């Protein structure tokens, strides 16, 4: 097997653990527990352990294989399936998961049958679509009726609560008013079943502004947080929040320089399409010093999602396996064999930790 040193992602596990603990502590005065979402780093067990050690009350992923890895590495916390289950995977859902998010009556009935076969009780959180238009009941009367059915008729399912997702597809902000809608649905259900629900799960990282602004509705008691712990970048870059209380450099991409040349900044010849079927626009800046890296779009997705840490270094393009840097104004005199470091965001970390060509190193 080829042993490849670069490209690599270096992960500071202590920083990750401290980020988990910081978010847990931030949410504690509001009575909110954290489900640690491990899918952003492809469920790497070492990272999942930091969620557990940092104080998350559940471990969550949309991928069953990641949940199984978390169990196999000895994490003894309830496991939450984030994606509405496929009918074809229900035996594994019941085997591996304590809790799942649900929005389909046929799936709930089949899930109940599978739980009975395995002689288990399986907890479900019913999802409400509050306008983001991904998963969840749009008809809230139907949602209440289904909740009553789960409570009274599906003997191997436990109605754990209700939840919602905001911001992932429809870009809808998780405002206090939106989350009040979820609380109202929960209280309608509680009135019908005669007891209080265990969970009112008010979304994900996009709901953390309600904590920071101190306007989170009182009954929300569970958030499912991934990016806001792993990178703590989105709330800073897109929402303008001061995230200096979090480590934003837990993950660092490092890649090796394989060529340094002075070349024109505009391609020479008839412009056609690139390797991905696109025709980018090129700015003619004359002859510039450029560096090639031994990493490309196959590894991280888009050049817009990696951020050079060297001053004066600019990512100007990439193909499948090469990344092109403008280093004319770089403070370092880069040469082949040198290593360039990058900050990364959620989109790139998902690619990088899924790519077998990229080494994972813990520091």
């Amino acid at each position: 097997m080829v042993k490849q040193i670069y490209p690599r992602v270096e992960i500071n596990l202590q920083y990750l653990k401290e980020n988990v603990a910081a978010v847990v502590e931030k949410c504690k005065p509001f009575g909110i527990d954290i489900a640690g979402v491990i899918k952003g780093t492809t469920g790497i067990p070492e990272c999942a352990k930091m969620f557990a050690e940092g104080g998350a009350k559940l471990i969550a992923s949309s991928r069953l294989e990641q949940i199984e890895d978390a169990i196999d590495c000895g994490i003894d916390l309830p496991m939450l399936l984030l994606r509405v289950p496929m009918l074809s995977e229900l035996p594994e859902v019941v085997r591996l998961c304590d809790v799942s998010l649900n929005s389909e009556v046929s799936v709930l009935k089949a899930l109940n049958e599978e739980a009975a076969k395995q002689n288990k009780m399986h907890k479900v959180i019913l999802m409400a679509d509050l306008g983001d238009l991904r998963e969840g009941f749009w008809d809230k009367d139907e949602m209440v009726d289904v909740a009553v059915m789960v409570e009274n008729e599906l003997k191997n399912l436990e109605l754990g609560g209700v939840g919602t997702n905001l911001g992932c597809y429809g870009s809808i902000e998780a405002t206090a008013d939106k989350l009040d809608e979820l609380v109202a649905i929960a209280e309608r259900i509680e009135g019908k079943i005669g007891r209080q629900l265990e969970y009112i799960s008010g979304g994900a990282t996009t709901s953390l502004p309600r904590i920071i602004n101190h306007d989170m509705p009182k009954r929300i008691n569970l958030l499912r947080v991934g990016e806001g712990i792993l990178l703590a970048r989105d709330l800073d870059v897109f929402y303008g929040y001061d995230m200096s209380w979090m480590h934003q450099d837990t993950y660092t991409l490092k890649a090796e320089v394989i060529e340094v040349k002075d070349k024109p900044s505009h391609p020479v010849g008839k412009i056609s399409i690139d390797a991905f079927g696109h025709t980018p626009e090129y700015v003619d800046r004359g002859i510039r010093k450029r560096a090639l890296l031994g990493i490309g779009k196959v590894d991280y997705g888009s050049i817009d999602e990696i951020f050079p840490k060297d001053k004066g270094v600019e990512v100007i393009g990439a193909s499948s396996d090469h990344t092109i840097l403008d280093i004319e104004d770089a403070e370092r005199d880069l040469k082949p064999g040198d290593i360039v470091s990058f900050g990364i965001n959620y989109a790139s970390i998902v690619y990088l930790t899924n790519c077998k060509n990229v080494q994972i190193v813990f520091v």
Side-chain angles (χ1 to χ4, degrees), residues 136-144:
F137 290 91
W138 184 252
D139 185 329
K140 305 312 181 292
D141 292 333
E142 178 194 10
M143 183 174 174
V144 173

Side-chain angles (χ1 to χ4, degrees), residues 262-289:
D262 290 336
K263 293 187 180 182
S265 52
H266 194 283
V268 179
K270 183 179 179 181
I271 299 292
S272 180
I273 59 173
D274 66 13
F276 292 86
H278 304 133
T279 305
E281 293 185 4
Y282 305 95
V283 177
D284 191 346
R285 301 166 67 189
I287 301 294
R288 305 277 294 183
K289 181 176 284 190

Side-chain angles (χ1 to χ4, degrees), residues 85-95 107 110-111 114 118:
M86 296 182 277
L87 283 169
S88 60
E89 67 184 358
L90 293 188
E92 295 299 285
V93 172
V94 173
R95 180 175 74 87
V107 175
L111 190 58
E114 183 57 43
Q118 296 189 32

Side-chain angles (χ1 to χ4, degrees), residues 22-34 176 179 183 198 200 202 207-223 245:
V23 171
V24 167
E25 193 64 27
K26 201 86 164 174
C27 291
K28 190 179 294 184
F30 298 87
I32 292 175
D33 289 332
I34 295 298
L179 295 179
V183 172
E198 181 179 0
I200 304 179
S207 294
L208 285 177
R210 306 282 64 77
I211 297 294
I212 298 171
N213 291 351
H214 292 82
D215 62 353
M216 177 68 80
K218 292 185 184 301
R219 296 276 331 261
I220 302 295
N221 62 7
L222 180 69
L223 294 180
W245 51 283

Side-chain angles (χ1 to χ4, degrees), residues 22 24 26 31 53 56 58 66 68 92 94 101 127 148 155 158 164 208 223 247 257 286 292 304 334 344 346 360:
V24 167
K26 201 86 164 174
E53 293 180 16
L58 301 95
Q66 296 175 11
E68 184 161 37
E92 295 299 285
V94 173
L101 308 182
M127 296 296 283
V148 172
K155 301 305 180 183
E158 178 185 348
T164 195
L208 285 177
L223 294 180
H247 297 291
V257 176
L292 290 185
D304 296 326
L334 290 169
I344 51 182
Y346 191 78
I360 302 298

Side-chain angles (χ1 to χ4, degrees), residues 26 53 57 60 76 105 128 177 182 185 194 211 235-236 257 277 313 328 341 353 355:
K26 201 86 164 174
E53 293 180 16
K57 290 299 179 66
D76 187 22
V105 174
D177 287 344
L182 181 66
I185 294 166
I211 297 294
L235 294 181
D236 179 354
V257 176
V313 172
E328 181 74 23
S341 297
T353 55
C355 183

Side-chain angles (χ1 to χ4, degrees), residues 104-261:
E104 279 288 344
V105 174
S106 61
V107 175
L108 285 162
K109 290 180 177 178
L111 190 58
N112 179 64
E113 292 177 6
E114 183 57 43
K117 286 180 187 177
Q118 296 189 32
N119 195 28
K120 286 186 174 182
M121 288 295 296
H122 183 82
K123 191 174 294 184
V124 296
I125 294 174
L126 300 185
M127 296 296 283
D129 189 336
L130 301 182
D132 205 63
L133 304 182
R134 201 178 71 177
E135 81 277 37
F137 290 91
W138 184 252
D139 185 329
K140 305 312 181 292
D141 292 333
E142 178 194 10
M143 183 174 174
V144 173
D145 290 343
V146 171
V148 172
M149 179 196 72
V150 171
E151 178 78 1
N152 297 328
E153 300 177 26
L154 303 184
K155 301 305 180 183
N156 284 81
L157 298 186
E158 178 185 348
L159 180 62
V162 298
T164 195
N165 179 77
L166 293 162
C168 283
Y169 168 69
S171 310
I172 297 302
E173 184 178 351
T175 61
D177 287 344
K178 276 293 177 189
L179 295 179
D180 276 331
E181 292 178 30
L182 181 66
V183 172
I185 294 166
E187 292 179 345
R188 282 184 62 191
I189 291 170
E190 290 171 339
K192 293 282 188 179
I193 65 176
R195 67 172 179 87
Q196 194 168 84
L197 295 169
E198 181 179 0
Y199 297 125
I200 304 179
S201 183
T205 294
T206 52
S207 294
L208 285 177
R210 306 282 64 77
I211 297 294
I212 298 171
N213 291 351
H214 292 82
D215 62 353
M216 177 68 80
K218 292 185 184 301
R219 296 276 331 261
I220 302 295
N221 62 7
L222 180 69
L223 294 180
R224 312 176 304 274
V225 183
E227 192 282 335
I229 286 170
L230 296 170
L231 300 163
R233 187 176 182 277
D234 284 3
L235 294 181
D236 179 354
V237 174
F238 300 119
Y239 296 90
Y241 287 96
D242 177 10
M243 299 301 290
S244 59
W245 51 283
M246 298 284 283
H247 297 291
Q248 295 183 299
D249 55 350
T250 300
Y251 300 85
T252 300
L253 169 63
K254 292 188 174 182
E256 185 172 337
V257 176
I258 60 174
E259 176 188 289
V260 175
K261 304 284 187 190

